[in-house]
Every structure is written in C-alpha cells, then in structure tokens.
Amino acid sequence: MTAPINRPISVLQVDMDVNAERLFVIDRITFEVLFVTVRPQSNVVKVQLPSWYAVENRLLVGILDDNSIYNTNVTDGVTCEFVQSDFDMGQ
C-alpha cells in the first residue's frame, strides 16, 4: 500500500453571519455554481476547490437569509488559500 500524495489544494473558508442561512460560491467567469450549503451550527464553512482558485480571483461568494429580511451579501474577486491535501476540513 502506498502513502497518499500530499499535494497543494485550494480551500475557501467562510465565517457566516448568524443571520444568513445559506452560502453560495460561483465561478464569475463561467457562472458555474460550485458550492451551495446551509449554515452549519459552527457558522464556519470550508470548501475544497480546484487549486487554480488560489491563484485566480474569480469567485463570487454570497450569503443570504431564507426569510428575505436582510439583503443578500456577495463578495466578488475572492481567492482561496493554498493548503496541503492533508489540511483539516473539519467544520
């Protein structure tokens, strides 16, 4: 049995607002929806994405609430963090 390869990957970590129920991540060039989730109890979401998102600022990251009381908040031009593939993805 061979050891797993420890290679660089891209990770996006978002501390969600307590008033937001949902998070979405979109590639701003292709408009592909890369990730959608509901806010976890910890309020912290970690998303593993292809490594090029750590060198290109092409992500749209948004949060929204389910009852439409607060405005949706979207940040453009987000870049991920380079980490090793053995990075702790625990929430």
Side-chain angles (χ1 to χ4, degrees), residues 3-18:
I5 298 172
N6 191 3
R7 60 181 171 74
I9 59 171
S10 164
V11 172
L12 175 67
Q13 181 172 320
V14 179
D15 287 324
M16 290 183 65
D17 186 300
V18 296

Side-chain angles (χ1 to χ4, degrees), residues 5-89:
I5 298 172
N6 191 3
R7 60 181 171 74
I9 59 171
S10 164
V11 172
L12 175 67
Q13 181 172 320
V14 179
D15 287 324
M16 290 183 65
D17 186 300
V18 296
N19 294 314
E21 279 90 31
R22 301 188 186 276
L23 168 80
F24 60 89
V25 180
I26 299 173
D27 183 307
R28 73 177 323 280
I29 305 300
T30 66
F31 285 103
E32 177 184 0
V33 176
L34 302 171
F35 186 78
V36 176
T37 192
V38 295
R39 179 179 40 84
Q41 196 170 21
S42 68
N43 296 337
V44 177
V45 176
K46 294 179 185 176
V47 183
Q48 182 178 335
L49 295 167
S51 59
W52 64 80
Y53 289 112
V55 292
E56 297 182 21
N57 58 343
R58 58 189 269 182
L59 295 178
L60 293 167
V61 178
I63 56 172
L64 58 123
D65 64 318
D66 287 342
N67 49 15
S68 302
I69 292 175
Y70 302 100
N71 287 332
T72 298
N73 189 346
V74 178
T75 302
D76 188 10
V78 175
T79 304
C80 294
E81 178 183 4
F82 259 131
V83 298
Q84 295 301 313
S85 58
D86 61 352
F87 179 75
D88 178 14
M89 291 295 291

